[in-house]
Amino acid sequence: MPNISPEVQVRWNDMVALRRDLHQHPELGFHETRTAGIVAERLRAMGYTVRTGLGKTGVTGFLKCGRPGKTVLLRADIDALPIHEQTDAPYASQRLGAMHACGHDAHTAMALSAAEVLAKEAPTLNGNLFFVFQPAEELLIGASAMLRDGALEGVAPDAGFAVHVMNRIPVGTIAVRSGPVMTSADKLGIVVTGRGGHGANPHNAVDPVVAAAQLITALQTLVSRETHPLKSAVLSVTMLKGGTAFNIIPDTVEMTGTFRCFDADLREALLASLRRTAEGIASALRCTATVANEFLTPAVLNDPALTALAHNVAAEVVGADKVVEWEPLTGSDDVAYFWQRVPGCYAFVGSGRSDGSPSPAGHNARFDIEESCMGIGAEFLVRATRAALQKR
Ligand SMILES: [Zn+2]
Ligand SMILES: [Zn+2]
C-alpha cells in the first residue's frame, strides 16, 4: 500500500471532486479561463501571492515560508485536447470536442492539493513555494508564453518538480529517470515546387509529385543512415497536400511532419541534413524545395541530483520495488523551457489499472485514470518539495 500521509488523505474527497469538475469542463490551450479562475481563487485562499494572465491563461502562486531558504517550483499543466470523449464515466466531458485525455485535470488537482498541504506547514519550512499552472502544454507553446510574460521575474527557483500521469504503468508505481526523458519537438513544413501542366504531357511540366515521393523516401535515411545507432531521433511526414484533379500536374506539393530527438547537437545536424536532402532531391528532379521548421520545445532534461532526491522520495511513497526506471519517451513536454532555467525533475505517476490490464493511453477518446494515483502524486510533490527545501 502506498504511504499517504494524513494531510494528503484528508484532501482526498476534495481532490477527486475537483478533478472530476475540471474533467467535465475541459478547456483547450490558451482558453483555460474557468480552470485558471479556480486555480487562482484557491491559491489566494491558501495565502499565496497570485499572478494571473501569464501566457494568456497561466497562473503562478508564491508563498514565503517561516524562514529564508531555497525556492522550489512545482509545475502543473492545465489544458485539454480537441477530442470528443467516448467514456461512459459519470464525470465525462460536458463540452463537445474537448476532453482531458492527457490527465492535466489530475495534474491540476494534485498540484493544488500539494499547494494546500505545503501552505499549512509553511510557517515551519525554510524557503519559498512557487507554483506554476501552465496553459497550452498540448500545443507546446504555453511555457514559453508564460516565460515571455515574466512568470519567473523576481523568483529564482533552486529546484523544480512536475509529474505526469501514465497509464502504461499501473497505479502504485512512479517512474523517474535522470537526463533526457522527453524529446525536443520541431514542426516541419516542406514545399516542393515544380511547374504544373497536363497530366498527359509530363515532359512539358516539372512534376513536384514525383519529387515529393522520392523526398519522403530519402528522408527515411536521415535516422537510419546518418544517426549514430545508439542515439535516437524520429522524423515522420504526417501530412501531404498537392494537386486538384486526375489530369493536372500541380505546381507545388506541401508536406508537414514532426521531428523529435534528445540531443541538441544531433537536432542541428539532422535539420541541416534535412535541408540538404530536400534541396538535393528537388534539384535532381528540376524542382526546388524549401524547408521551414518551427522549434516547439527542447528536450526535457532531468537534473541528476534532483532525480536522486525524487527517486528516494518516490521509494518512500510507493516502496523501492515500485519505483520504475523507464526508457526515455519520444513524446515532448514544454516543461523543458522551465528546466532550462531551473534544475528540475519530471516524473511519471502510474495511473493504469491496478490489475495490470491495458488502459487506454493518453490522447485516446476512452482515456481515464485510476484516480488513486492522485494521492500518490500529491504525496510525492509534497515530500519532494520538503526534501528540496531542506537540501543545502
Ligand atoms: Zn498530452
Ligand atoms: Zn500531458
Side-chain angles (χ1 to χ4, degrees):
M1 282 298 281
N3 182 11
I4 311 290
S5 61
E7 303 92 281
V8 170
Q9 271 177 28
V10 297
R11 287 174 177 81
W12 172 249
N13 289 338
D14 177 62
M15 186 157 43
V16 172
L18 175 61
R19 181 256 162 171
R20 292 182 175 195
D21 175 66
L22 296 174
H23 195 87
Q24 285 179 300
H25 303 96
E27 296 174 302
L28 301 183
F30 292 138
H31 297 279
E32 310 91 332
T33 46
R34 179 181 183 275
T35 310
I38 291 170
V39 168
E41 188 188 309
R42 284 186 170 233
L43 286 174
R44 275 192 201 103
M46 297 171 202
Y48 286 83
T49 304
V50 174
R51 292 176 71 197
T52 58
L54 298 163
K56 292 192 183 153
T57 39
V59 180
T60 63
F62 182 87
L63 187 66
K64 211 176 242 195
C65 298
R67 275 163 298 176
K70 302 202 165 192
T71 299
V72 174
L73 178 157
L74 292 124
R75 178 273 204 173
D77 41 16
I78 62 174
D79 58 320
L81 283 160
I83 292 178
H84 187 61
E85 181 158 354
Q86 286 175 36
T87 72
D88 42 22
Y91 47 83
S93 170
Q94 295 178 357
R95 293 196 175 155
L96 283 175
M99 176 187 179
H100 271 294
C102 201
H104 300 186
D105 49 348
H107 303 169
T108 307
M110 286 189 270
L112 280 172
S113 299
E116 200 179 350
V117 172
L118 290 163
K120 282 252 159 70
E121 62 190 63
T124 66
L125 295 172
N126 302 336
N128 307 300
L129 304 167
F130 184 57
F131 280 83
V132 172
F133 290 86
Q134 184 211 300
E137 185 283 326
E138 296 294 357
L139 305 173
L140 296 173
I141 51 179
S144 50
M146 282 192 85
L147 289 166
R148 265 199 310 279
D149 279 357
L152 287 184
E153 257 162 41
V155 201
D158 300 281
F161 296 100
V163 291
H164 202 297
V165 296
M166 179 48 73
N167 273 6
R168 281 192 263 161
I169 48 175
V171 66
T173 60
I174 296 179
V176 282
R177 183 188 182 87
S178 182
V181 287
M182 304 277 274
T183 52
S184 64
D186 282 85
K187 186 173 165 186
L188 303 174
I190 304 173
V191 181
V192 181
T193 305
R195 193 180 65 245
H198 200 296
N201 297 310
H203 58 292
N204 290 334
V206 175
D207 188 354
V209 175
V210 171
Q214 295 204 11
L215 175 54
I216 292 170
T217 308
L219 290 179
Q220 308 313 310
T221 64
L222 296 191
V223 175
S224 70
R225 304 289 84 189
E226 295 194 33
T227 303
H228 188 291
L230 298 182
K231 290 197 171 180
S232 42
V234 182
L235 202 164
S236 296
V237 175
T238 53
M239 225 167 77
L240 192 57
K241 236 168 62 187
T244 52
F246 87 100
N247 54 0
I248 301 173
I249 291 170
D251 283 324
T252 59
V253 171
E254 291 173 30
M255 51 185 106
T256 306
T258 185
F259 168 47
R260 318 250 172 165
C261 82
F262 293 104
D263 182 302
D265 293 339
L266 177 61
R267 175 180 167 272
E268 290 294 339
L270 285 180
L271 281 173
S273 298
L274 174 64
R275 284 205 174 83
R276 188 201 70 234
T277 307
E279 288 162 11
I281 298 270
S283 147
L285 297 168
R286 298 182 294 149
C287 293
T288 56
T290 56
V291 177
N293 72 291
E294 189 184 340
F295 182 34
L296 295 172
T297 183
V300 179
L301 303 177
N302 275 350
D303 176 75
L306 286 175
T307 304
L309 180 152
H311 201 283
N312 290 340
V313 166
E316 283 170 26
V317 179
V318 292
D321 58 326
K322 296 283 167 54
V323 184
V324 188
E325 191 170 320
W326 219 22
E327 78 269 25
L329 301 181
T330 53
S332 303
D333 191 313
D334 63 351
V335 74
Y337 280 110
F338 288 107
W339 277 200
Q340 281 188 332
R341 316 242 185 145
V342 180
C345 181
Y346 178 94
F348 294 97
V349 174
S351 54
R353 289 178 191 136
S354 47
D355 63 7
S357 65
S359 321
H363 294 214
N364 182 296
R366 299 193 186 281
F367 175 83
D368 201 358
I369 55 166
E370 282 282 335
E371 285 181 321
S372 55
C373 75
M374 292 193 291
I376 294 168
E379 183 74 28
F380 171 82
L381 290 174
V382 168
R383 286 183 189 242
T385 304
R386 281 190 202 128
L389 286 176
Q390 272 160 17
K391 213 161 175 250
R392 299 263 156 227

